[in-house]
Amino acid sequence: MSKKSENSGFITKIAAFIVDKRYLFFLLYIFAFVFCLFSQNWVEVENDVTTYLPEDTETRQGIVTMNNNFTTYASARIMVSNITYEKAEEIHEMLLDVEGVDLVSFDDTENHYRDACALFDVSFSGEAQDELCLQAMDTIYEKLDGYDLAVDTPIGYDETAELAEEMNTILVIAIVIILLVLTLTSRAYAEVPVLLITFGMAAVLNKGTNYLCGKISFISNSVAVVLQLALAIDYAIILCHRFSDEHETMNARDACIAALSKAIPEISASSLTTISGLIALSFMKFSIGLDMAIVLIKSIFLSLLSVFTLMPGLLVLFSPLIDRTKHRKLLPNITPIGKFAVVSRYVMPVLFSFVLVVACLLSSKCPYIYGYNEIKTAKMSDRQVATFQIKDTFGSHNLVALVVPTGNYPAEQQILKELQTYPEVTSTLALSGMEAMDDYLLTDALTPRQFSELIDLDYEVAQMLYSAYALEQNQYGEILKGLNDYQIPLFDMFLFLKDQLQTHNITLTGETQETLDELFEKLEHAQVQLQSDEYSRMVVFLNLPEESPETVAFLDDVHQMLAKYYDDNYYVVGNSTSCRDLASSFAKDNLMISILSALFVILVLLFTFQSVGLPVLLIIVIQGSIWINFSFPTIMDQPLYFLGYLIVNAIQMGANIDYAIVISSHYQELKTGMPHKEAIVHALNASFPTIFTSGSILASAGLLIGNLSANPVISIMGTCLGRGTIISIILVLGVLPAVLVLGDSIIEKTRFKIKGIERKVQSSTGTMKVKGHVRGYISGVVDADIDGILHGEFNASILTDGHRPENVEPQSPNNEGGNEDE
């Protein structure tokens, strides 16, 4: 059988260019590697999931409003166990004396002392990242050294750094597992460093180019590297095995060109199913799906780029070492599984149908949750452990912020009074509820006489002050009527008085000035947190969990309460409202991802196999693995964070379908030259190394993330992905073969042809002229691109360029090339 030059064809020319210019590509990759080592430090990471909520949700609008109008000072919940109440009071006084501590809430109620445990709610004089707060927290730790302590605070807690440390640990362990797996599935030990260099480069490129996406989520930033290795390792393995095959009869350069020219279309087609599943994520209303889709799709493209342009040069460079380190096949054949599939072909599909229905019903009852503060992970940080200890002792702690238009102090006071009638409300914090002096609240309105008596100010001075305030507010009528009955809220008057003192329009001395200076400092501290020029904020502390029917009912009551005093320009913001908004978008996102991921994959499979029945059978098996995967939370009565479901649903469909494609492709080719029962056995043996490599790496990566990350979102996603991959492997090896053999007639009856590409099985004896791809038996097995003459007995599937094979006169044996046997 004669072979034309490998330079024919556009892809072959590209392959030759890449291989021949390998040192140029090495240089370019070195420059890119160095650049990305620096640029990965430019990436901005968003740790707040709620910022990805749709812009029309109340939580998103409320958060933006609060960030633009208020400063949130740091706080801490400190529980000291195994102490008397008297000792707790001493600690209370000690905490108040710490520099940087503004307020410490503690009393003898069960909200702060029970079962020999004291709970101190500490408010600080700055934000969590301020040096003053960090020093104050260090002082508290020093003073409470030796006590049985549980501290829940964001001060000194760097979630990004903690995640980075966790993922570095996971990555190291994952690399060890990848090394073991690649060694088992490789044909030469020297192939392993080639694969690691290729994907190490792809990972660094992806991480270094994330800054181009602007700010990315902590989820994408954390898991992208591990998922990139797990999802795209197949591409390098395909090229590596292609090179091995070609290198049997060619030198390293020609073998690499031939391997790359064949691998480019094959790998590109393989990547489409994974990319399809990720594209479905981008249609989520909850935009974190788009964030993950962009980062992971970029990682797939950069993996393809590294495999196509870096790896060929590495293969040529390492080829002498690869030749010297070849070893025997380490993975066994799985012939018994194939034979079992043949024997059970009438039973297994029926059992699977039953399991499918049950799994569908169970997964539909999955106990989803939309906040992750209540999730216990396999590994928990010190802060998480402390949070659950405090919760187990003192119950749920939940706060909700009410953001309303500023200025209507009577309405605010009335709202606070109504809230205090609810047993679910433990306390409130608002300017309208703060005491100023002598039992007056900050928002109480006082006359000049009352104000002068309150701060020990001359009545005449107080009248002048009120008159100046009226002039500034353009309230001339009050001056004309007389100021005796003119009332101004204390808070507004204190701010005006402070301004007059600073401009020296009024001068005070002695104790009055000292008292006012202390008051002004407290007012300034309260104002930046609770009032701006446009909005006031009231903070409500609840004893309700973040998610419960009672919590939803309470939020409805609050909305009705605010509607009595304000128009639509108010917001209720907190973890509970975030959960409600996330729940409302989940149903649509879930349906959209399920439909789109399956639809995109079906379209890819339709063009790949040119059959309607086969894609449906493959989708049913993988969808079954998804339903079984998400039946576990229902069976185990474990809450499942909704985002873990959405992301894993898309990834599992897009990535795990490749396992089914590998088996189906081998089966479709092999059955043209042998009985179906034998074909499925050989197909499983041929597919097992690929499925074992990709599946074990993806499953290991998922389970590592699930068990070694303390972040609930990432941990749940990893657990579901690892479990789902294992289930998919079991189904494609144990169920799919029986389904393929039993459903073969459906597959064949639903075949169709795409114009320009024709596949036909030829069984004949004699001589035939062929230009195209041939796979089957020709006095042996052939799998090759052929442009020449076949002479002999053959039974093969022939994919031609629109030309039907035509018989020609027998050729002299001297003009025929040798057979290439499998």
Side-chain angles (χ1 to χ4, degrees):
M1 174 168 54
S2 63
K3 227 181 221 188
K4 275 196 171 186
S5 171
E6 293 291 346
N7 288 328
S8 61
F10 179 68
I11 294 180
T12 304
K13 290 179 181 178
I14 293 176
F17 176 80
I18 291 171
V19 173
D20 291 337
K21 302 296 182 181
R22 56 188 176 275
Y23 292 107
L24 173 62
F25 282 102
F26 289 163
L27 185 62
L28 293 175
Y29 272 102
I30 290 172
F31 288 150
F33 180 82
V34 173
F35 174 79
C36 288
L37 285 181
F38 290 98
S39 65
Q40 64 183 350
N41 298 317
W42 307 341
V43 179
E44 292 184 67
V45 179
E46 178 58 69
N47 291 314
D48 188 359
V49 174
T50 58
T51 59
Y52 294 94
L53 281 166
E55 293 184 359
D56 59 350
T57 58
E58 182 181 26
T59 301
R60 176 69 183 275
Q61 293 175 353
I63 288 174
V64 171
T65 301
M66 287 201 303
N67 290 339
N68 292 338
N69 288 273
F70 306 107
T71 299
T72 301
Y73 284 164
S75 63
R77 303 185 79 210
I78 302 174
M79 185 178 76
V80 184
S81 303
N82 304 312
I83 60 172
T84 63
Y85 181 75
E86 289 72 22
K87 177 58 71 174
E89 286 184 314
E90 293 177 15
I91 294 175
H92 178 216
E93 295 300 324
M94 179 270 293
L95 292 174
L96 285 171
D97 292 335
V98 174
E99 184 180 359
V101 171
D102 180 61
L103 178 68
V104 181
S105 298
F106 176 76
D107 53 40
D108 59 355
T109 65
E110 287 198 346
N111 291 330
H112 290 101
Y113 187 83
R114 67 169 69 176
D115 301 330
C117 297
L119 178 62
F120 305 94
D121 290 315
V122 183
S123 298
F124 294 85
S125 302
E127 297 181 77
Q129 67 272 19
D130 291 350
E131 186 63 30
L132 178 65
C133 294
L134 293 172
Q135 292 177 356
M137 205 64 233
D138 289 340
T139 303
I140 290 173
Y141 279 121
E142 290 176 7
K143 290 183 177 293
L144 295 179
D145 185 33
Y147 286 95
D148 187 356
L149 204 63
V151 180
D152 177 16
T153 180
I155 299 174
Y157 178 68
D158 189 340
E159 187 175 18
T160 302
E162 184 179 88
L163 270 175
E165 184 178 346
E166 289 175 354
M167 297 313 297
N168 287 336
T169 302
I170 291 170
L171 188 59
V172 169
I173 299 174
I175 289 174
V176 173
I177 293 174
I178 290 171
L179 278 170
L180 292 174
V181 172
L182 292 180
T183 302
L184 285 173
T185 57
S186 67
R187 301 177 184 180
Y189 294 117
E191 291 176 355
V192 176
V194 172
L195 296 170
L196 290 180
I197 292 171
T198 301
F199 269 90
M201 181 63 73
V204 172
L205 291 180
N206 189 51
K207 200 167 181 64
T209 54
N210 280 339
Y211 81 95
L212 298 173
C213 303
K215 185 177 286 189
I216 65 173
S217 72
F218 69 94
I219 302 175
S220 301
N221 186 60
S222 301
V223 303
V225 173
V226 179
L227 288 183
Q228 180 183 9
L229 288 174
L231 291 173
I233 195 74
D234 283 354
Y235 311 151
I237 293 171
I238 290 172
L239 179 57
C240 195
H241 287 178
R242 280 282 188 184
F243 173 75
S244 257
D245 293 338
E246 301 294 341
H247 195 33
E248 293 290 335
T249 58
M250 299 182 185
N251 60 44
R253 175 192 174 273
D254 292 340
C256 200
I257 293 172
L260 183 59
S261 63
K262 294 175 182 178
I264 286 177
E266 182 179 354
I267 293 172
S268 300
S270 175
S271 68
L272 286 178
T273 54
T274 303
I275 293 173
S276 296
L278 295 174
I279 288 175
L281 274 179
S282 66
F283 287 88
M284 285 174 59
K285 189 177 180 183
F286 187 36
S287 61
I288 200 167
L290 176 62
D291 175 86
M292 283 205 70
I294 291 173
V295 173
L296 289 177
I297 290 174
K298 178 166 66 69
S299 76
I300 298 297
F301 280 123
L302 289 173
S303 297
L304 290 172
L305 183 67
S306 298
V307 169
F308 291 156
T309 59
L310 174 63
M311 190 175 175
L314 292 174
L315 287 171
V316 175
L317 187 66
F318 278 77
S319 61
L321 192 58
I322 291 174
D323 292 338
R324 292 197 300 269
T325 59
K326 287 185 177 181
H327 59 77
R328 64 181 179 83
K329 183 179 179 182
L330 299 178
L331 277 183
N333 286 330
I334 55 171
T335 302
I337 295 178
K339 291 182 177 179
F340 174 77
V342 174
V343 173
S344 63
R345 64 187 181 279
Y346 296 111
V347 178
M348 190 59 70
V350 176
L351 290 177
F352 176 64
S353 299
F354 174 76
V355 172
L356 201 65
V357 173
V358 174
C360 180
L361 293 174
L362 289 174
S363 63
S364 67
K365 298 179 180 179
C366 192
Y368 297 111
I369 58 174
Y370 304 92
Y372 52 82
N373 292 328
E374 304 292 326
I375 300 174
K376 290 185 178 181
T377 54
K379 175 193 173 185
M380 291 198 294
S381 65
D382 293 340
R383 183 185 178 189
Q384 287 173 303
V385 171
T387 300
F388 283 107
Q389 286 179 345
I390 296 172
K391 178 189 172 185
D392 293 341
T393 304
F394 288 95
S396 298
H397 175 75
N398 188 9
L399 66 86
V400 174
L402 313 184
V403 181
V404 299
T406 193
N408 192 347
Y409 295 134
E412 292 178 26
Q413 290 183 345
Q414 188 59 37
I415 290 170
L416 292 174
K417 287 180 182 178
E418 290 188 44
L419 287 171
Q420 289 166 2
T421 64
Y422 282 83
E424 298 90 347
V425 176
T426 57
S427 62
T428 57
L429 177 64
L431 281 179
S432 298
M434 285 187 175
E435 186 176 319
M437 303 167 66
D438 296 347
D439 295 330
Y440 281 115
L441 298 177
L442 276 176
T443 52
D444 285 342
L446 273 64
T447 64
R449 173 71 65 183
Q450 292 171 316
F451 185 73
S452 66
E453 293 174 352
L454 178 67
I455 65 170
D456 195 20
L457 183 68
D458 287 341
Y459 178 60
E460 290 77 11
V461 176
Q463 283 187 312
M464 290 175 57
L465 189 63
Y466 270 58
S467 177
Y469 180 89
L471 288 173
E472 185 179 85
Q473 301 295 321
N474 297 321
Q475 296 177 348
Y476 305 110
E478 299 293 342
I479 299 175
L480 296 176
K481 288 191 304 182
L483 299 173
N484 291 337
D485 297 325
Y486 184 28
Q487 293 184 324
I488 300 175
L490 264 179
F491 180 73
D492 295 345
M493 181 49 65
F494 278 136
L495 293 181
F496 183 72
L497 176 58
K498 178 184 176 183
D499 181 63
Q500 296 302 308
L501 289 170
Q502 289 176 341
T503 56
H504 303 290
N505 292 330
I506 296 178
T507 303
L508 299 176
T509 59
E511 294 184 1
T512 302
Q513 183 65 53
E514 292 178 3
T515 302
L516 286 175
D517 285 342
E518 293 179 3
L519 181 61
F520 291 154
E521 184 178 350
K522 291 182 179 179
L523 287 179
E524 182 180 357
H525 182 80
Q527 184 184 20
V528 296
Q529 296 185 85
L530 301 172
Q531 189 182 71
S532 70
D533 293 337
E534 296 183 61
Y535 291 96
S536 292
R537 177 165 65 172
M538 295 176 278
V539 182
V540 184
F541 297 90
L542 308 174
N543 56 20
L544 292 170
E546 290 183 0
E547 296 180 67
S548 71
E550 294 78 13
T551 307
V552 173
F554 176 79
L555 292 177
D556 291 339
D557 289 346
V558 170
H559 277 92
Q560 293 176 11
M561 186 188 307
L562 296 178
K564 292 189 297 184
Y565 303 99
Y566 303 98
D567 295 328
D568 294 334
N569 192 25
Y570 62 84
Y571 307 99
V572 181
V573 186
N575 289 338
S576 294
T577 59
S578 171
C579 293
R580 184 192 59 192
D581 290 338
L582 290 170
S584 66
S585 66
F586 170 70
K588 292 181 180 178
D589 285 342
N590 182 23
L591 182 63
M592 184 174 295
I593 286 179
S594 298
I595 292 176
L596 290 181
S597 58
L599 180 61
F600 291 155
V601 170
I602 284 177
L603 289 175
V604 173
L605 296 182
L606 280 174
F607 286 98
T608 301
F609 292 108
Q610 299 178 40
S611 168
V612 175
L614 184 55
V616 172
L617 294 178
L618 301 188
I619 289 292
I620 289 174
V621 172
I622 299 303
Q623 184 61 57
S625 72
I626 294 173
W627 285 337
I628 294 172
N629 186 16
F630 293 107
S631 296
F632 277 80
T634 304
I635 296 170
M636 301 170 69
D637 194 25
Q638 291 181 344
L640 175 66
Y641 188 58
F642 81 105
L643 192 56
Y645 173 82
L646 291 176
I647 293 172
V648 173
N649 187 7
I651 292 177
Q652 189 174 347
M653 175 61 74
N656 293 173
I657 194 72
D658 281 348
Y659 311 153
I661 292 173
V662 169
I663 294 176
S664 302
S665 298
H666 280 292
Y667 173 67
Q668 294 301 305
E669 292 173 350
L670 290 171
K671 74 177 184 179
T672 61
M674 63 177 69
H676 295 180
K677 296 177 183 179
E678 293 181 24
I680 197 64
V681 175
H682 287 285
L684 282 177
N685 286 331
S687 307
F688 181 63
T690 302
I691 295 172
F692 175 80
T693 304
S694 177
S696 59
I697 291 174
L698 186 55
S700 300
L703 295 178
L704 282 172
I705 293 171
N707 288 278
L708 296 181
S709 176
N711 184 281
V713 180
I714 293 174
S715 176
I716 285 179
M717 189 178 72
T719 300
C720 292
L721 185 60
R723 184 177 62 215
T725 301
I726 293 172
I727 293 170
S728 296
I729 293 173
I730 293 173
L731 290 186
V732 297
L733 293 179
V735 175
L736 180 63
V739 171
L740 290 176
V741 175
L742 186 65
D744 193 74
S745 59
I746 298 175
I747 295 171
E748 295 303 325
K749 289 179 181 177
T750 57
R751 283 200 181 278
F752 59 89
K753 295 179 182 179
I754 299 177
K755 188 176 180 180
I757 299 178
E758 182 180 356
R759 183 181 295 274
K760 186 174 182 180
V761 177
Q762 299 285 334
S763 297
S764 183
T765 300
T767 302
M768 178 172 285
K769 183 178 180 181
V770 176
K771 184 177 182 181
H773 184 83
V774 178
R775 183 175 181 89
Y777 287 89
I778 306 176
S779 298
V781 182
V782 173
D783 183 3
D785 291 320
I786 297 174
D787 185 1
I789 305 299
L790 299 181
H791 179 69
E793 216 173 289
F794 62 90
N795 181 2
S797 172
I798 303 172
L799 180 63
T800 70
D801 297 332
H803 304 288
R804 302 180 68 84
E806 54 183 275
N807 291 325
V808 297
E809 293 300 321
Q811 302 292 316
S812 168
N814 293 331
N815 295 331
E816 296 178 10
N819 288 342
E820 185 177 337
D821 298 336
E822 285 190 329

